[in-house]
Amino acid sequence: MIMAAIEALNDKNGSNKSSISKQIEATYGNLSPAHTTLLTHHLNKMKSAGELVFMKNNYLKPDPNSPARRGRGRPPKPKTPLPPGTIPPPPRPRGRPPKSQDPTAPPPPPKPKAATSTATVSGKKRGRPSKTATAGVAAPPLPPPASSGAPRGRGRPPKVKPAMAAPVGA
């Protein structure tokens, strides 16, 4: 529809969106309320695909003699053709290549497994020790608090204000 409208308008400078919309409405009659949104979407899609050229707020058909639009990014390296009669090598497998081994060498002995997977060479477990482990090594018990007054409340105690002193300069 859009290409037919641009061809029908046949303007050498191209056709703007409103003239394309009016041409489509005149040709096809009653259009949906979302016509302007759909037209904008399809014009942008055709512009990015290279079917239309957007110049000075006008859409026009690309010149057939102009070179094709290049995509984004660095172009791929040109591939050198193989001489005739040669078989192309298989593609390299993904991932890290395996270590090269001497076919005459005996296979390496299997590594011994540790008795417990959580113990290290020194016999201690890795990481922070659990609370139950620290409870076994208890600190010396604290002396019972003196029962001289009321039990302390939670948090930081309030700051004790000094007694009122004699005024300075009196």
Side-chain angles (χ1 to χ4, degrees), residues 39-52 59:
L39 180 66
T40 304
H41 170 74
H42 286 288
L43 283 171
N44 287 333
K45 205 169 165 185
M46 292 172 80
K47 180 176 71 172
S48 64
E51 298 174 33
L52 291 176
Y59 293 92

Side-chain angles (χ1 to χ4, degrees), residues 95-103 108 111:
R96 185 183 178 118
K99 290 182 179 179
S100 60
Q101 293 182 347
D102 185 17
K111 294 182 181 177

Side-chain angles (χ1 to χ4, degrees), residues 44-166:
N44 287 333
K45 205 169 165 185
M46 292 172 80
K47 180 176 71 172
S48 64
E51 298 174 33
L52 291 176
V53 177
F54 187 67
M55 190 179 300
K56 296 182 182 173
N57 210 20
N58 288 333
Y59 293 92
L60 46 113
K61 292 170 74 174
D63 185 21
N65 299 330
S66 66
R69 265 187 63 200
R70 200 172 67 93
R72 292 179 50 172
R74 185 181 181 131
K77 287 183 179 178
K79 295 186 177 180
T80 57
L82 294 173
T86 58
I87 302 170
R92 284 178 53 182
R94 291 177 26 169
R96 185 183 178 118
K99 290 182 179 179
S100 60
Q101 293 182 347
D102 185 17
T104 59
K111 294 182 181 177
K113 298 249 180 177
T116 58
S117 61
T118 57
T120 59
V121 177
S122 65
K124 291 183 180 180
K125 291 183 179 179
R126 293 177 56 193
R128 183 182 179 131
S130 61
K131 286 187 176 182
T132 56
T134 58
V137 183
L142 296 173
S147 59
S148 61
R152 288 189 180 193
R154 292 175 41 174
R156 184 181 179 125
K159 187 175 182 180
V160 179
K161 294 182 180 176
M164 290 295 289

